[in-house]
Amino acid sequence: MGARFTALLLVGAASLMILASSMFGSSSSGAGRIVHVTERGVAAARQQQLAATAAGSRSRLTNLAEAAPGGGGAAAPPLATATASAASPERPAARGALDGSLEAALRVAVPGEAPGFVMASFANSALNDHLVNFVLCAVRARAPFVIGAVDQAAFTMLSARRDAPTYVTPMAKEGASLDGSNQHSSGSWKRFAGMRTGEVLRMVRLGYSVLHTDIDVVWLRSPEPYLMCSGEASRPGGEHGPGSRFECGPLLSADVAVSSDNMSPGRDTEGRASYSAGGTFNTGILFLRPTVKGRAFAEEWHANVVSPPPGSRYVSLTSDQQVFNHMMRKPRQWPGVDAPHGSAVMREAWDGGRVTLGSLPLALFLNGHGYFVQRADLRLKVSPFAVHATYSLDNHDGVAKRQRFREAGLWLADGEEYFRGRFLALNASVPPAVAAALGAARSAGQSPNHIGVHAAALRGYLAELRDALALARALRRTLVLPRWTCYVDKLWAGSDNIIGMGFMYPGSQDAPFLPFACPMDHVLSPAAWAKAEVDYRDAAILDQPQLRASGAVVDVGLEPRPGWTRKAGSLPLGTSAAEARELLKPLAATPVLRLPHARGLLCSIDDAAAFNSLADRLLRIPTWCAKCFQPCSKELAGWLPAEEIRRGGGWDKMSYCMKVDVPPKFDAGGACSLNVQP
């Protein structure tokens, strides 16, 4: 279910068309909760077997100055400069140099005599910003990794850095041309999938324990202590020691372990592999051990992607993830693989048990919905290893995923220039219509988290945004978006009954999380703003140290025009853009001016026609649709007026799409046009 993100960008328009990046070899294996003495014996033997491998990989994060092509000396500056918090830790010098070969990159990433644990991802230069963010986050997490460059430009950029073990993949060597599509059925996608599974196989054959990771995964901590069950964390009393909530010992029996697109980290924490088996395995985070069974699976997985046997069930499949899911399950059965409740591994995976398949705990390897919307890590009191930007909305592309990471403070790839300038911040506030709807719901004994409240909130958000954006442009400042509140969740499309699930994404409703802080793509289209080349910032920028200094932020007072007297940092409601610009001149050097709200702020602006055209493109709510269990005219009647239900196409029908009008336009002749009724 989670959207796959890759870094083979196929450029055709302003939108990012992505083909292949970190979705490298996706195998999945894990170990179940071991309860029998014999099973514990197997786990203990596996732990001893892997001890040498783990020991060789504890200290392998290296300073790549000597590994860069050309030998020693200072490396070229990175593509993007991280903020102070993203500075790479100092590391011992690497052995050898990056010469474009996989073997050289692995020696740099995992110094030592024996192969060890390594993360592997793949990208080309079309998504350099995501690639740089991946590198900075993995380095900060002190997690060993290699990146397979899918074009020569990516290798040149990465090998010039001090922190990115990289090599040239077969696709880069061949100069493979792409067909401009990110569809799974495209020739480029299939070729990339075959290359990726083949490269995973190469690493497993070399004896490495490989964690394939998509490029849209942010690594917060190194997962090695858990996956390899090594170090202090694996000992009694350690985070993953015997008897702990996420004990690592049982997973040692897994040849392959995989993440999932399931929606409930809580149920996953309790049921583990038994819950994971019922969802789609996501090979964007996939772990393979170099065991006999692990290697055999990697061999056949790659073969089924590249050249499936004629007439087999793999011929019609269009991605390596689909092949993986089909291989692990019994034909024509669902889920086709199972596990005892609480076990870390599944039974009879791949042709009745040719491999031991483990599940990676969802709470530790969080998908996008679990982290960005549910904030399950806070509810479950866990510190995840990774956040995978699945379940992003809009075009679920690089633009949307970058915005999700920025909002969460997980984007390190912005240079210092991103934080410089002058900004106009719009504070989040509750529109009066929303406050009234919330009060009415509570008075009636209803949950306030429903489509009626949410629709009112969206109308209010857009209305205020009209004036905030117009004022920011008049002041020549960059707009800082607020942290809005969402009262219902949102689907990619209206094919599911979110209404019957309490307005939560089906599968996530067992741990209510409404309301929540809206990601931008629940309210606006990041792609539309990028296409219009309108610069903006997220509220997370206000957490930067340079903008938290005394005097960096000035709150602008808003008062009704009657009784207003001119004073510094104050505006009358119903002002014009020209008047506001004049009144705020004394604060021109202030980095951030912050509005408490923007209701009734502007009456008129300069060049209204041009702004109205821009606002018509930017101030539109992304499609919100859902199925109804009964005719929507009945199911939605308690929340929406009949006319709104009709407008959404739900009258006597079984589906509904919310309609939220764009705010009133500014009058081109200069007449007053407020964003709210007086």
Side-chain angles (χ1 to χ4, degrees):
M1 299 286 291
R4 303 304 307 284
F5 184 69
T6 59
L8 248 168
L9 188 66
L10 309 178
V11 180
S15 61
L16 293 176
M17 303 301 291
I18 303 158
L19 168 65
S21 152
S22 80
M23 299 164 48
F24 174 44
S26 308
S27 344
S28 114
S29 149
R33 182 164 303 281
I34 309 300
V35 293
H36 301 298
V37 175
T38 54
E39 291 174 319
R40 288 193 179 275
V42 170
R46 178 69 59 81
Q47 188 164 12
Q48 291 177 356
Q49 189 177 26
L50 296 173
T53 313
S57 48
R58 286 190 199 107
S59 61
R60 77 237 40 345
L61 288 178
T62 60
N63 184 315
L64 298 185
E66 296 182 5
L79 180 73
T81 304
T83 58
S85 62
S88 301
E90 289 300 318
R91 297 173 294 179
R95 298 190 315 165
L98 295 176
D99 58 10
S101 68
L102 170 61
E103 292 76 10
L106 288 170
R107 285 195 298 270
V108 170
V110 188
E113 298 304 320
F117 169 85
V118 68
M119 303 194 313
S121 192
F122 300 86
N124 73 355
S125 57
L127 283 177
N128 273 343
D129 58 345
H130 279 273
L131 184 52
V132 169
N133 194 61
F134 178 91
V135 169
L136 291 173
C137 291
V139 168
R140 189 171 68 170
R142 302 192 69 82
F145 67 93
V146 295
I147 294 179
V150 185
D151 60 21
Q152 189 61 44
F155 175 74
T156 300
M157 183 272 290
L158 287 169
S159 59
R161 296 179 60 90
R162 299 167 60 90
D163 54 5
T166 183
Y167 74 101
V168 180
T169 64
M171 284 189 75
K173 291 177 181 177
E174 297 166 8
S177 60
L178 309 178
D179 63 10
S181 173
N182 70 337
Q183 298 299 311
H184 282 191
S185 58
S186 74
S188 294
W189 183 281
K190 291 181 177 179
R191 183 167 187 180
F192 175 81
M195 183 275 292
R196 178 178 56 204
T197 55
E199 294 302 285
V200 169
L201 174 59
R202 284 179 65 195
M203 297 183 204
V204 172
R205 282 173 173 169
L206 290 171
Y208 288 87
S209 295
V210 181
L211 179 66
H212 166 253
T213 163
D214 280 356
I215 207 72
D216 65 334
V217 177
V218 160
W219 290 96
L220 306 175
R221 300 191 292 150
S222 174
E224 181 186 359
Y226 175 70
L227 295 175
M228 304 299 286
C229 206
S230 60
E232 293 293 330
S234 66
R235 295 171 184 167
E239 180 184 3
H240 305 300
S244 62
R245 181 160 55 155
F246 297 104
E247 184 178 353
C248 62
L251 197 64
L252 286 171
S253 66
D255 304 292
V256 180
V258 69
S259 62
S260 83
D261 285 333
N262 280 339
M263 298 299 294
S264 176
R267 289 173 61 191
D268 183 272
T269 298
E270 295 174 1
R272 295 295 303 277
S274 65
Y275 174 70
S276 178
T280 300
F281 300 138
N282 190 314
T283 55
I285 304 180
L286 173 69
F287 182 53
L288 296 94
R289 299 190 197 274
T291 59
V292 173
K293 291 183 177 181
R295 294 186 191 194
F297 176 79
E299 297 270 3
E300 192 157 332
W301 181 42
H302 174 59
N304 285 334
V305 171
V306 175
S307 54
S312 73
R313 55 178 169 150
Y314 309 115
V315 172
S316 62
L317 304 181
T318 58
S319 74
D320 53 273
Q321 179 167 296
Q322 292 177 351
V323 171
F324 181 94
N325 274 271
H326 278 258
M327 286 181 67
M328 287 299 181
R329 304 176 190 277
K330 296 176 182 177
R332 296 178 295 280
Q333 297 185 33
W334 186 261
V337 63
D338 62 11
H341 184 81
S343 173
V345 296
M346 300 172 214
R347 297 180 293 206
E348 300 184 347
W350 187 32
D351 290 348
R354 292 177 60 189
V355 74
T356 300
L357 175 63
S359 65
L360 297 176
L362 192 51
L364 297 181
F365 301 86
L366 274 171
N367 60 34
H369 196 276
Y371 190 83
F372 298 121
V373 174
Q374 299 180 42
R375 287 316 310 261
D377 56 316
L378 301 181
R379 186 180 72 249
L380 296 174
K381 296 180 173 59
V382 299
S383 177
F385 293 119
V387 178
H388 192 178
T390 54
Y391 293 100
S392 58
L393 301 174
D394 200 27
N395 292 344
H396 45 267
D397 58 3
V399 175
K401 291 167 185 284
R402 179 181 62 206
Q403 178 64 19
R404 286 286 186 99
F405 285 140
R406 276 179 174 155
E407 291 166 348
L410 301 180
W411 187 260
L412 307 184
D414 289 319
E416 286 298 326
E417 66 280 358
Y418 182 83
F419 305 97
R420 298 194 192 106
R422 297 181 307 144
F423 305 97
L424 179 69
L426 175 60
N427 234 19
S429 63
V430 180
V434 176
L438 292 172
R442 294 188 179 104
S443 297
Q446 297 177 336
S447 166
N449 302 313
H450 60 70
I451 190 63
V453 171
H454 191 62
L458 293 177
R459 284 191 291 270
Y461 299 157
L462 289 189
E464 291 194 52
L465 192 57
R466 183 202 76 162
D467 287 16
L469 178 60
L471 182 58
R473 294 173 72 82
L475 298 176
R476 297 183 181 277
R477 288 176 174 266
T478 300
L479 180 65
V480 179
L481 298 176
R483 290 281 175 82
W484 289 299
T485 297
C486 279
Y487 298 91
V488 303
D489 202 356
K490 186 180 184 308
L491 304 172
W492 281 336
S495 57
D496 289 319
N497 176 33
I498 193 173
I499 300 170
M501 301 297 173
F503 292 100
M504 289 172 279
Y505 206 117
S508 68
Q509 73 279 0
D510 58 308
F513 53 86
L514 300 178
F516 60 93
C518 302
M520 179 185 179
D521 57 23
H522 279 241
V523 180
L524 301 167
S525 166
W529 284 61
K531 183 177 181 180
E533 297 183 340
V534 174
D535 205 13
Y536 65 92
R537 299 290 187 270
D538 178 76
I541 194 175
L542 300 179
D543 294 329
Q544 291 298 311
Q546 59 266 48
L547 295 182
R548 296 173 65 183
S550 176
V553 179
V554 170
D555 289 301
V556 177
L558 300 181
E559 301 176 20
R561 172 77 71 174
W564 173 79
T565 57
R566 182 166 182 165
K567 51 185 175 291
S570 176
L571 294 176
L573 291 172
T575 187
S576 68
E579 181 186 31
R581 187 166 51 238
E582 183 65 26
L583 291 172
L584 294 175
K585 266 187 179 179
L587 299 174
T590 303
V592 181
L593 300 181
R594 182 164 55 195
L595 299 171
H597 64 83
R599 293 184 290 277
L601 174 58
L602 291 181
C603 197
S604 63
I605 64 170
D606 305 325
D607 199 6
F611 179 83
N612 289 337
S613 175
L614 178 67
D616 191 58
R617 286 175 281 151
L618 300 187
L619 306 186
R620 290 188 175 275
I621 300 298
T623 302
W624 192 101
C625 297
K627 280 187 173 181
C628 299
F629 268 144
Q630 54 186 317
C632 296
S633 56
K634 295 181 180 179
E635 189 162 354
L636 301 177
W639 301 308
L640 293 174
E643 181 55 32
E644 281 204 38
I645 299 174
R646 286 192 182 93
R647 288 185 64 208
W651 196 257
D652 291 332
K653 295 182 180 179
M654 303 300 291
S655 63
Y656 169 79
C657 291
M658 179 172 55
K659 303 295 182 183
V660 177
D661 294 331
V662 296
K665 297 181 183 299
F666 285 107
D667 186 80
C672 185
S673 177
L674 294 174
N675 59 9
V676 295
Q677 294 297 320

